[in-house]
Amino acid sequence: MTTKPVHVVGGGLAGSEAAWQLAEAGVPVVLHEMRPVRKTDAHQTDHLAELVCSNSFRADDWAGNAVGLLHAEMRKLGSLIMASGDANQVPAGGALAVDRDGFSAAVTKALHEHPLIEIARGEIAGLPSPEWDNVIVATGPLTSAPLADAIRQLTDERALAFFDAIAPIVHRDSIDMNVAWFQSRYDKVGPGGNGADYINCPMTKDQYDAFVTALIEGEKVDFKEWETSTPYFDGCLPVEVMAERGHETLRHGPMKPVGLTNPHNPTVKPYAIVQLRQDNKLGTLYNIVGFQTKLKHGAQQRVFRTIPGLENAEFARLGGLHRNTFLNSPKLLDQQLRLRAQPRLRFAGQMTGCEGYVESASVGLIAGLYAAANARGQELTAPPATTALGSLLGHITGGHIETIDSGPRSFQPMNINFGLFPPLASPPTKKPDGSRLRGNEKTVAKKQAMSARALADLDRWIADHIRVAAAA
Ligand SMILES: Cc1cc2nc3c(=O)[nH]c(=O)nc-3n(C[C@H](O)[C@H](O)[C@H](O)COP(=O)(O)OP(=O)(O)OC[C@H]3O[C@@H](n4cnc5c(N)ncnc54)[C@H](O)[C@@H]3O)c2cc1C
């Protein structure tokens, strides 16, 4: 077993959790954090694990909510982020919200006091030293430019930091297929496709006119001043900006009604068509093609549910636009979150393509466990795909499918959601009293069954892999 320390770069949500997991596994750590020597545009303090915006870890209901399930799984694995959140909870209904200063002070104190952790304040301004053979890079959405540039050169990607224009993602089973239909434009069979790869939603002229007006009038999120110097990702414009450029612009762009025939009404040509494209291998999630947007979340739900077929759409992720730094992970990282081009570098946190405080910390947790196993000369089996941790890692390292057509890279950061989980072999259909489950009851029962399956599978994984490693 090596006694060389693992170097963790970035003391945010992911890096702090990774350092904790390593140290608790008996592996020495040097945690490099550039603040306060070098600041970011969003962080305000020199605390580790600072929450840059909201103070919420979102729903804490493990049985009915995917992020609540992730909380439960992280608690089972001794997460410092969850323990510090629980100890600094403030009232917020069913959500876990925290006193932000108390929370990050608790994380900072625990890491400072751990005998196996050294905290080095300073920027890693380029690739980490070649002498460090086990490194976790967790520098987050606001990674400093010299490090981001060095990683970009190593990965041969065109960009790492950009204005991220994210399109909304819809749960497939919430789309009304009595209105929508499967078909690729001109029935074209692309690589990996079968000629019926898209879900199409038709619009009449009146519906299109009203939709364009609603897009233009919908409430938008303002740019922060420091965001104005970052370019749009691959020149991809928000849908409402396209709408503002001309009433017909969308009909000649993402909503063009050509090469498609509505089987529900074959003799009537739709005036415009909205297309959704499969987003994960399971086929449970679809993104709305070309609908990256700066509309506020409430406005998105209201306006996008006016699209025929999407009246009852459930969104796995709403669109958004903010500066971000993340890797094209399915292509660049291996199953153990290591950079294929230089496997001594492992990535964690938002840089890997997860979204949110809890998700970032959870990927930090797993990266810490993976790196600890490597430090012992072992390799840790990934958590089961049925768990929240496993399904999030699956999205990052391979669950996402590339666009069927050529175009801008399609992998985008994602919050945990039940659409990332493998479906149940036999979903519940009846209540304990034998009567049939209907409507929302059925959805709730399905989520509860997925959550119960996740926790049972995680317990087995911990017993088989984590406790065994600790005892070795
Ligand atoms: C403006 C903004 C608002 C957000 N609001 C929310 C929200 O409300 N809710 C939510 O869930 N998520 C939010 N996010 C996303 C949030 O940043 C992530 O969810 C989370 O903080 C990411 O965790 P992380 O550990 O990957 O990165 P961070 O928590 O950002 O940690 C990265 C750390 O690395 C350090 N660092 C960067 N470069 C270097 C370097 N070269 N050398 C050494 N250290 C370095 C940084 O100082 C930072 O401490 C927001 C993001 C941004 C940018």
Side-chain angles (χ1 to χ4, degrees):
M1 173 170 164
T2 178
T3 50
K4 277 166 90 179
V6 173
H7 289 262
V8 178
V9 185
L13 276 296
S16 297
E17 184 66 57
W20 179 256
Q21 294 292 331
L22 278 154
E24 286 289 280
V27 177
V29 183
V30 182
L31 176 58
H32 302 264
E33 168 52 54
M34 69 175 184
R35 290 174 294 119
V37 183
R38 185 170 290 279
K39 296 182 170 23
T40 77
D41 291 313
H43 291 82
Q44 305 285 325
T45 74
D46 59 6
H47 278 155
L48 302 171
E50 179 180 331
L51 304 178
V52 283
C53 189
S54 110
N55 66 332
S56 176
F57 287 1
R58 317 201 311 277
D60 199 26
D61 160 24
W62 70 264
N65 188 290
V67 78
L69 176 60
L70 194 55
H71 293 170
E73 294 184 7
M74 291 171 71
R75 287 184 183 116
K76 279 180 183 282
L77 287 159
S79 160
L80 174 64
I81 295 298
M82 290 312 301
S84 307
D86 289 338
N88 288 282
Q89 187 167 5
V90 296
L96 172 57
V98 306
D99 173 317
R100 71 177 66 241
D101 289 331
F103 162 75
S104 54
V107 174
T108 307
K109 183 167 183 290
L111 294 173
H112 260 291
E113 289 178 353
H114 202 294
L116 289 179
I117 300 176
E118 178 192 335
I119 297 172
R121 297 281 182 170
E123 180 187 5
I124 303 298
L127 282 188
S129 163
E131 284 163 26
W132 303 347
D133 58 6
N134 192 347
V135 181
I136 296 177
V137 181
T139 43
L142 305 173
T143 295
S144 74
L147 177 57
D149 286 346
I151 296 166
R152 185 180 48 75
Q153 283 173 24
L154 196 62
T155 54
D156 212 20
E157 292 280 294
R158 264 189 297 159
L160 271 189
F162 26 69
F163 250 139
D164 213 357
I166 307 175
I169 293 181
V170 177
H171 287 272
R172 154 78 182 80
D173 59 8
S174 68
I175 301 171
D176 184 353
M177 295 308 289
N178 293 318
V179 176
W181 75 98
F182 275 104
Q183 187 183 9
S184 302
R185 217 180 278 286
Y186 300 111
D187 303 309
K188 199 170 147 196
V189 183
N194 66 6
D197 301 316
Y198 290 80
I199 294 179
N200 302 281
C201 300
M203 274 190 188
T204 62
K205 180 167 186 331
D206 286 350
Q207 286 166 333
Y208 176 81
D209 291 345
F211 182 71
V212 169
T213 306
L215 279 179
I216 293 170
E217 289 177 354
E219 263 195 296
K220 322 279 185 318
V221 179
D222 287 331
F223 278 110
K224 291 198 181 75
E225 205 176 323
W226 57 267
E227 292 175 321
T228 51
S229 56
T230 310
Y232 277 117
F233 171 45
D234 281 331
C236 95
L237 287 176
V239 64
E240 61 278 0
V241 174
M242 282 189 264
E244 278 163 8
R245 290 190 171 178
H247 191 77
E248 294 295 297
T249 304
L250 285 168
R251 275 190 75 231
H252 296 286
M255 295 176 69
K256 60 176 176 282
V258 300
L260 297 163
T261 306
N262 180 358
H264 306 297
N265 203 355
T267 54
V268 176
K269 191 143 188 57
Y271 190 73
I273 293 175
V274 174
Q275 288 201 300
L276 295 98
R277 180 171 50 215
Q278 189 174 334
D279 199 79
N280 63 343
K281 274 187 183 147
L282 295 172
T284 48
L285 299 175
Y286 275 72
N287 64 66
I288 315 185
V289 180
F291 272 43
Q292 51 280 352
T293 178
K294 249 180 87 177
L295 285 175
K296 287 194 168 164
H297 283 181
Q300 284 185 45
Q301 304 203 29
R302 195 180 61 251
V303 176
F304 296 151
R305 284 187 183 136
T306 65
I307 298 170
L310 300 189
E311 293 85 350
N312 298 310
E314 289 296 329
F315 293 92
R317 183 189 73 193
L318 286 160
L321 207 61
H322 58 90
R323 190 181 150 204
N324 207 346
T325 308
F326 65 95
L327 298 168
N328 192 4
S329 296
K331 181 175 149 203
L332 299 175
L333 301 185
D334 70 10
Q335 300 285 313
Q336 293 263 317
L337 300 168
R338 289 173 300 214
L339 194 67
R340 292 181 199 279
Q342 211 171 106
R344 73 186 180 102
L345 303 179
R346 190 184 307 274
F347 283 80
Q350 183 135 346
M351 281 195 98
T352 62
C354 62
E355 174 82 30
Y357 301 143
V358 181
E359 288 84 343
S360 296
S362 76
V363 178
L365 189 157
I366 292 294
L369 293 177
Y370 284 161
N374 285 176
R376 286 192 294 263
Q378 299 165 350
E379 188 128 321
L380 178 66
T381 305
T386 49
T387 62
L389 284 162
S391 62
L392 189 59
L393 288 168
H395 168 69
I396 292 167
T397 60
H400 174 80
I401 53 163
E402 280 293 309
T403 44
I404 294 157
D405 304 326
S406 60
R409 92 182 189 197
S410 58
F411 178 71
Q412 292 288 348
M414 175 80 97
N415 284 122
I416 186 71
N417 64 81
F418 281 112
L420 296 177
F421 290 63
L424 294 162
S426 41
T429 52
K430 292 195 175 143
K431 298 187 212 174
D433 66 8
S435 60
R436 284 193 79 74
L437 286 162
R438 293 183 196 286
N440 193 39
E441 284 178 343
K442 212 167 164 178
T443 311
V444 170
K446 201 169 103 181
K447 288 180 181 172
Q448 287 172 345
M450 279 185 161
S451 300
R453 176 182 69 171
L455 292 186
D457 288 354
L458 188 76
D459 283 341
R460 260 192 298 279
W461 179 75
I462 291 173
D464 291 350
H465 300 287
I466 304 292
R467 291 208 191 107
V468 171

